[in-house]
Amino acid sequence: MRSLAELNKEESDLNLEIRKLLLNKNTFREGLSDKIAVVTKISTLRERIVKIQREIRERTPDDEFTG
């Protein structure tokens, strides 16, 4: 089982990868298939992030968020 720190790091890394894809893929020369591939990759990364966030929420006591 991964620690909360490892989960947070993985989430951060995935968000960074998404940002890089968005910043590097805004050219007019790329074809439609390239754009679809980027969208598919981002969707897959977002799904992984959602799973990680769910795992973090399940392992974190609720009173930490209520302050």
Side-chain angles (χ1 to χ4, degrees):
M1 179 178 273
R2 297 178 291 179
S3 70
L4 287 175
E6 291 171 329
L7 291 170
N8 284 321
K9 169 118 175 60
E10 185 177 353
E11 179 186 4
S12 176
D13 291 345
L14 292 172
N15 277 317
L16 179 62
E17 189 173 344
I18 289 172
R19 276 188 241 120
K20 286 179 181 179
L21 285 168
L22 290 172
L23 291 175
N24 292 333
K25 291 295 182 180
N26 290 326
T27 64
F28 293 105
R29 291 180 283 160
E30 64 186 17
L32 183 59
S33 63
D34 294 332
K35 291 180 183 183
I36 291 172
V38 170
V39 169
T40 303
K41 176 73 172 174
I42 290 172
S43 295
T44 303
L45 293 172
R46 285 293 306 147
E47 288 173 3
R48 288 176 53 196
I49 288 172
V50 167
K51 288 178 185 177
I52 291 169
Q53 290 172 338
R54 185 178 304 125
E55 187 175 345
I56 290 171
R57 277 194 311 271
E58 289 172 353
R59 295 176 58 193
T60 305
D62 291 334
D63 49 277
E64 285 186 24
F65 295 112
T66 58

